[in-house]
Amino acid sequence: MENYLQLHMEKQQIDAISNLGLAHIGDGVYELLCRSYLCVKGGQTVKRLHKESVELVKAPTQAKFADKLLPHLTEEEAAYYRRGKNAHSHAAPKSATPQEYAKATGLETLFGALYLAGKTERLNELFHILMEP
């Protein structure tokens, strides 16, 4: 039985998934990390948790985080980021520029690829870098 919480796909399998497919799973992984981070911080109302979650997952914030993360990426990780950044999505939100949306998609693609590869320790390392003041 497949354990969907701890996947260990081969690079070849991950590379067969479309850029936006990787961003799709990465979006969920990133949001779960953000929600977990906020809950662990504790002491907040549900309303406040929601507000802070929305702030962390919006494209302009993700774009800033992508810029912060780039110097820490391996060549393979940077390739996944570029793959997502260069994906042609036609659904950019009004709250983000096309450049911000592209960077956010790159970040989500990277997080999706790492998750599917089972590299949760590396995902956690990168997420900690994002959350550093």
Side-chain angles (χ1 to χ4, degrees), residues 25-111:
I25 188 70
D27 176 57
V29 170
Y30 177 77
E31 183 162 355
L32 180 60
L33 287 166
C34 290
R35 287 176 176 226
S36 299
Y37 168 77
L38 293 171
C39 283
V40 168
K41 277 179 39 176
Q44 298 190 59
T45 64
V46 173
K47 184 177 181 179
R48 187 76 182 147
L49 286 170
H50 176 71
K51 184 177 180 182
E52 289 191 27
S53 291
V54 169
E55 183 62 33
L56 288 173
V57 301
K58 67 184 187 178
T61 302
Q62 286 184 345
K64 288 177 191 163
F65 282 166
D67 289 337
K68 184 177 184 180
L69 209 56
L70 283 174
H72 302 278
L73 300 181
T74 66
E75 285 184 35
E76 183 179 17
E77 291 166 349
Y80 280 116
Y81 169 77
R82 283 190 305 275
R83 197 177 140 182
K85 184 177 176 226
N86 294 331
H88 296 294
S89 175
H90 303 289
K94 290 185 234 174
S95 62
T97 67
Q99 295 81 10
E100 288 171 330
Y101 192 68
K103 288 179 180 183
T105 303
L107 181 72
E108 291 171 350
T109 301
L110 168 63
F111 275 48

Side-chain angles (χ1 to χ4, degrees), residues 68-69 72 122 124-133:
K68 184 177 184 180
L69 209 56
H72 302 278
R122 180 61 175 155
N124 198 44
E125 287 173 18
L126 294 176
F127 187 74
H128 275 274
I129 291 169
L130 299 182
M131 294 300 117
E132 289 174 352

